[in-house]
Amino acid sequence: MSELLDLPLVPPSSAIIAPIIIMPTSYWTSQGLNENIAYGLERFQYQLLDRKTIYAHVIYLEPATPNVEFIPHHDMLLHHWKRYMTSLVERGRAKAFFIERIQLHQSVLDVVVPPLMEKVGELGELGLCKCRIDHNGLLLLSKYLSKNRTLKRLLLNENVIEDVDVARALSLAVKDHPTMEELCVSHCELGTNVDVLPEILGGCNRLKTLRLNENKISSQNVAHIGALLASPDTSLATLRLDKNLLSDVDAVHFTAALKSNINLKYLYLTGNNITDVGKEEITTAVLDTTSLNSIADSNHNCEIVYSTLGTPGLASHINEKYWSTKRKVQSKILLALYGMNNETLSSIQYFRDLPLELIPHGLELIQKHLDCLEQHDTISVHMKNKPNILLGRMYCLLRVWNLPWLFVNAVRRNVQKRQKVFR
């Protein structure tokens, strides 16, 4: 009913000289499991004996057979887990460790987590995704996470986190971690209990990346997200909120936060219930066309990613560029002049009060092409339909200024220069 294998995983050691018993497919089917899962369990035992998975710098443990979506827990596997972790500790280091679609019962986590957090050196990434980790298992992980000093990236996607105590423990562990930069808790049902997400967010100020995709986050929690973004202590550079339940009424929180936030580089809102109305409101944070000063004071760092193109996408496209702030401001002014329906800027009358010394810069600005935006249909079509737009805007701009006064001042300056020369 079973095979007896003697497969040393590493050079001989007193800790691993005993033979390993591999339970075949027939055993698992006798336990009531279907053929696919039974075969998957047999192959998984061999997987835990494979030297390649122990000596690799990046370790992946997942179902090895294409027809098996998930490996359930069984106490018969504990011996294999213990031998595997003993060998991994003897090796001493791994840069990344990922387990996916394999159930991690608390008894397994008791074997896996302590040595990973305390004895495996250089561990920079840990992923335990779709592992059905329960309440006690998540508390155990949070406990030992605080003892680690090397981890930079933690992935817990598709594990349900709906308990406030678990959220608080995880948040504290992440908050106090000296090297943690990224937390991925997508598809974890964080929006099911309105008290869970605020606890998670409380420990995320020092992170660089936070992934909250597909968590059923709604208007009840968006104020806490806005508070995190508006905090002067936040270091977040990427925030993913794809496929949640956000709507137009939530736009005001993002707009207010982005006006003061200078660290966020990417905000993903794809797949929410935000219409063009909400997108336009959020876009005012990165391109406020009320005046030239409001454009200059807009957010020039954050790219907002929606599911559709259009003017909001164009404004964010400018922020995506590795340009100086000055060049971004100029490009946004051009976008306001050519690509947007804004009476104040498109009429050119707004430039009437510009100081005399800025006139050459104004003339130069309105003649520039939107080179950075030519690949977007919105701009290219607009420019093709108005081929004389540059010349027309220069004419309008010259008309609003007092040209005789301009030339009188120019003559006076030339006379003064000549007098200085002859002296």
Side-chain angles (χ1 to χ4, degrees), residues 58-300:
V58 179
I59 298 174
Y60 285 95
L61 290 178
E62 59 183 348
T65 53
N67 295 329
V68 179
E69 290 295 326
F70 189 79
I71 299 293
H73 168 72
H74 196 283
D75 288 341
M76 290 287 295
L77 297 175
L78 281 177
H79 183 56
H80 296 276
W81 280 111
K82 291 177 182 178
R83 293 282 297 268
Y84 183 86
M85 293 309 300
T86 299
S87 301
L88 186 60
V89 169
E90 287 197 4
R91 187 215 166 182
R93 63 183 60 188
K95 292 184 178 180
F97 190 90
F98 298 101
I99 302 176
E100 185 173 351
R101 295 182 290 132
I102 297 171
Q103 185 175 2
L104 295 180
H105 187 267
Q106 184 185 354
S107 58
V108 176
L109 290 172
D110 282 331
V111 174
V112 173
V113 172
L116 273 180
M117 295 293 99
E118 298 180 310
K119 298 180 180 180
V120 177
E122 301 181 7
L123 185 66
E125 299 181 62
L126 175 62
L128 306 175
C129 300
K130 205 172 182 178
C131 294
R132 298 183 187 176
I133 305 176
D134 62 13
H135 172 277
N136 293 328
L138 289 169
L139 288 177
L140 177 72
L141 176 63
S142 301
K143 172 186 174 181
Y144 280 95
L145 185 63
S146 61
K147 299 182 180 182
N148 177 271
R149 291 295 178 268
T150 61
L151 205 62
K152 293 185 177 181
R153 189 168 181 244
L154 176 63
L155 293 78
L156 295 174
N157 301 331
E158 299 191 61
N159 293 291
V160 177
I161 303 175
E162 55 185 3
D163 185 88
V164 175
D165 292 335
V166 170
R168 185 179 298 116
L170 180 61
S171 176
L172 289 174
V174 171
K175 182 179 180 179
D176 296 335
H177 200 283
T179 59
M180 185 73 69
E181 296 181 355
E182 180 176 350
L183 175 64
C184 303
V185 282
S186 300
H187 215 303
C188 292
E189 305 288 339
L190 298 181
T192 304
N193 184 343
V194 295
D195 296 323
V196 167
L197 185 60
E199 292 289 347
I200 295 289
L201 296 176
C204 296
N205 276 330
R206 295 171 58 182
L207 296 176
K208 299 295 183 183
T209 301
L210 177 61
R211 300 177 186 269
L212 299 171
N213 316 48
E214 301 183 72
N215 273 302
K216 300 180 182 179
I217 297 172
S218 63
S219 301
Q220 294 176 299
N221 280 135
V222 74
H224 299 285
I225 297 174
L228 173 65
L229 294 178
S231 171
D233 299 325
T234 186
S235 300
L236 270 182
T238 300
L239 175 60
R240 300 209 62 133
L241 291 166
D242 312 69
K243 298 182 180 180
N244 280 291
L245 304 177
L246 305 177
S247 63
D248 291 343
V249 297
D250 305 317
V252 62
H253 297 285
F254 294 107
T255 304
L258 290 176
K259 286 183 177 179
S260 61
N261 187 298
I262 60 174
N263 295 317
L264 195 68
K265 302 296 183 183
Y266 300 99
L267 174 61
Y268 291 86
L269 297 173
T270 303
N272 284 280
N273 300 321
I274 302 175
T275 67
D276 289 341
V277 175
K279 293 174 184 177
E280 289 291 343
E281 182 172 352
I282 297 174
T283 300
T284 59
V286 297
L287 180 54
D288 185 350
T289 58
T290 305
S291 67
L292 294 180
N293 286 335
S294 67
I295 292 179
D297 293 337
S298 299
N299 184 309
H300 303 302

Side-chain angles (χ1 to χ4, degrees), residues 338 346-348 366-367 386-399:
Y338 298 129
S346 62
S347 68
I348 300 296
I366 64 171
Q367 294 180 81
K386 297 184 179 181
N388 298 321
I389 191 170
L390 298 178
L391 183 60
R393 289 193 180 279
M394 177 179 286
Y395 172 72
C396 293
L397 187 57
L398 291 173
R399 282 185 57 196

